Amino acid sequence: MREAFIQIRADSAAALNEAFVRATNAMRSGNSSEPVAVFTFSSPAQLFSVISVDFH
């Protein structure tokens, strides 16, 4: 089963750096990083605005 990790963090620079490190490690090793997908939002409002988009 594939997993996704959703996090809400105010320190966007640190979150971006961690994502870069995970991606770099995955590329070098040839293995996917764990968890498979990480979605980072700066606030609960941002998370809810993304998941409540109306595609009509």
Side-chain angles (χ1 to χ4, degrees):
M1 171 187 274
R2 298 190 134 210
E3 294 182 13
F5 180 67
I6 298 173
Q7 61 184 350
I8 297 172
R9 296 177 58 171
D11 57 345
S12 58
L16 182 60
N17 187 48
E18 290 174 10
F20 178 75
V21 168
R22 279 193 307 275
T24 302
N25 289 341
M27 286 188 301
R28 287 183 180 158
S29 70
N31 299 320
S32 64
S33 60
E34 288 295 327
V36 171
V38 178
F39 300 95
T40 304
F41 300 92
S42 61
S43 68
Q46 184 188 36
L47 166 64
F48 295 127
S49 72
V50 169
I51 63 173
S52 63
V53 172
D54 185 9
F55 291 104
H56 290 71

